[in-house]
Amino acid sequence: MQTWTRTRATPPLLKRLNEQTVLETIRAGAPISRAEISRRADISKPTVSLALRTLLEAGLVRRAEAPRGPSYGAVYFEPVPEAALVLGIDLGARFVRGAVCDLGGHVRARQDVELADTDAERALEAIAALHASLVEATRLGPDLIDGVVVGVPGVVEAGTGRLTLAENVPGLEDRAFGEELGGRLGLPVVLENDINLAALGEQWRGVAQGVDDFVFLSVGTGMGAGLVLRGELHRGHHGAAGEVDYALADAAGSADPSAPSLAALTKELADKNEHPTSLAPPYDGRAIFTAARGGDALARAVVQEEARRIALHVASISAVADVGLVVLGGGLGANGDLLLEPVRGHLAGWLPYPPRVEVSSLGEAAVLTGALAVGLRAALDNVFARRGGPVAA
């Protein structure tokens, strides 16, 4: 016989639910009047008034200026964006980027630090220093930071949080980096793959806004993809979804568009001496694309092959996931003026349903924007619980 349990809706619990509903209604429609909150939330005006009193005392909402037009003496309300802050970090092999945003999603401070050399220990020190500097720049208290989201160049294993495939930052592999950083900062820390965060950044404020099924493909020193399906990030069984370096197996060497393979391809074509060129080793990706824009024959041949290789990876993802959009990013993938048309052309010839292909609109800020987006989701919930206090069910 099945036994049913029922949670009793106690007055304190109902009070908290009403307060949360009123807060969410204000966030969605600010500036908004008491009467309009009552109408949209389907809660009586006296109950709305009680909830507003608590939210005002907790510093979660405040009175706002009335919108243009007749207000008939109504009082309007809006959320307090600086009730909590989020710290986002983008950790790379040669840099650490950081930003702090408020609950309205407004960036209150942003700083980038270039590092001559990076290992896990230096990364911890750099992030701790950046945290202090960013908080000071906001001119708000450090206790307002709700949490930290860090984009890392590796796989964050599902369930364990263990970092793997993180060779770009020596010492990061298999290290409890999130716990160490949290202990140093005294804050909860969430680690996420950097390309996954780039995808979420584009979904929040970039070219992928409103797109439910898309992939962010980063091509630079390495290659990786962030896959969003049905509006949610798809991490996979182990947390390793998007490790497209392994997608083509034995054929990957001849289809790799990342910087080391691009340099090797350039040398191979240069040795054949079939294309006049001004390029000289070492063959840097930026120099290759700059020369291609200037009409250099060898550089243009390399860029055409680069587009084909990128299209091969896009095709393999699209044939399986049938995404509607592919966003190209990274140091090489961002060269849309030379890559977009040939990539689109290859896909049109290979696939029955080729995806739309665009270049990232956020550039190097994509990972950082995604980190803020993830932290903001949590902070919007946490700030209510923290300011309102626990309620026993």
Side-chain angles (χ1 to χ4, degrees):
M1 179 178 179
Q2 192 170 17
T3 302
W4 297 92
T5 59
R6 180 176 297 172
T7 301
R8 191 160 56 94
T10 63
L13 178 59
L14 289 174
K15 179 175 180 292
R16 283 295 297 281
L17 291 173
N18 287 331
E19 289 166 2
Q20 190 159 14
T21 300
V22 169
L23 178 58
E24 291 170 355
T25 304
I26 294 172
R27 285 172 177 166
I32 187 170
S33 68
R34 194 185 320 258
E36 185 64 14
I37 294 170
S38 174
R39 187 185 69 80
R40 293 189 187 186
D42 195 21
I43 299 176
S44 70
K45 290 181 182 179
T47 301
V48 169
S49 295
L50 289 172
L52 280 171
R53 184 188 306 166
T54 300
L55 294 172
L56 285 164
E57 290 174 353
L60 296 179
V61 302
R62 63 192 178 196
R63 293 191 175 190
E65 291 185 10
R68 292 182 179 178
S71 61
Y72 305 107
V75 177
Y76 288 79
F77 300 89
E78 65 183 6
V80 177
E82 58 270 19
L85 302 172
V86 172
L87 173 61
I89 298 290
D90 176 11
L91 173 61
R94 300 292 181 189
F95 62 84
V96 179
R97 298 187 177 103
V100 172
C101 80
D102 60 28
L103 292 181
H106 307 295
V107 174
R108 307 297 287 258
R110 161 79 192 268
Q111 295 178 18
D112 297 354
V113 177
E114 189 171 351
L115 304 174
D117 193 16
T118 307
D119 58 24
E121 193 58 40
R122 289 190 181 92
L124 285 170
E125 295 171 359
I127 293 173
L130 194 56
H131 162 252
S133 179
L134 286 167
V135 169
E136 183 180 359
T138 66
R139 299 184 179 181
L140 298 168
D143 57 317
L144 291 177
I145 300 290
D146 178 76
V148 186
V149 179
V150 184
V152 292
V155 172
V156 182
E157 277 193 352
T160 68
R162 187 172 72 100
L163 279 170
T164 62
L165 304 180
E167 296 92 350
N168 283 352
V169 179
L172 203 59
E173 189 94 4
D174 290 326
R175 187 164 181 163
F177 188 77
E179 293 179 15
E180 290 184 60
L181 182 59
R184 190 168 295 203
L185 300 182
L187 291 166
V189 172
V190 173
L191 299 184
E192 181 60 87
N193 173 265
D194 52 1
I195 310 305
N196 283 347
L197 289 181
L200 295 178
E202 291 291 340
Q203 181 188 43
W204 183 32
R205 287 190 165 168
V207 71
Q209 292 179 73
V211 181
D212 286 338
D213 299 283
F214 73 94
V215 63
F216 182 99
L217 182 64
S218 176
V219 185
T221 304
M223 182 171 54
L227 186 61
V228 173
L229 299 176
R230 297 181 180 177
E232 297 294 330
L233 182 67
H234 179 73
R235 294 182 177 86
H237 181 67
H238 298 97
E243 293 299 314
V244 290
D245 279 334
Y246 303 96
L248 301 182
D250 288 344
S254 60
D256 184 6
S258 62
S261 293
L262 187 69
L265 170 65
T266 307
K267 182 181 183 305
E268 178 186 340
L269 294 182
D271 289 345
K272 292 180 180 179
N273 204 26
E274 296 176 353
H275 305 282
T277 184
S278 61
L279 292 172
Y283 298 109
D284 174 71
R286 184 177 299 179
I288 293 169
F289 278 91
T290 298
R293 291 186 182 93
D296 185 279
L298 174 63
R300 292 183 71 84
V302 170
V303 168
Q304 287 299 310
E305 173 61 14
E306 174 77 353
R308 189 189 72 85
R309 293 183 178 190
I310 290 174
L312 282 172
H313 287 278
V314 172
S316 65
I317 296 169
S318 298
V320 174
D322 189 25
V323 293
L325 170 68
V326 174
V327 182
L328 296 181
L332 300 180
N335 291 282
D337 57 324
L338 296 177
L339 292 175
L340 277 181
E341 290 309 316
V343 167
R344 290 167 177 166
H346 286 303
L347 295 176
W350 296 343
L351 298 174
Y353 302 104
R356 178 165 61 97
V357 183
E358 303 290 349
V359 169
S360 167
S361 60
L362 300 176
E364 65 178 23
V367 176
L368 199 54
T369 304
L372 295 176
V374 170
L376 184 58
R377 291 178 190 175
L380 287 169
D381 292 332
N382 294 342
V383 71
F384 178 80
R386 186 170 64 247
R387 294 292 181 93
V391 171

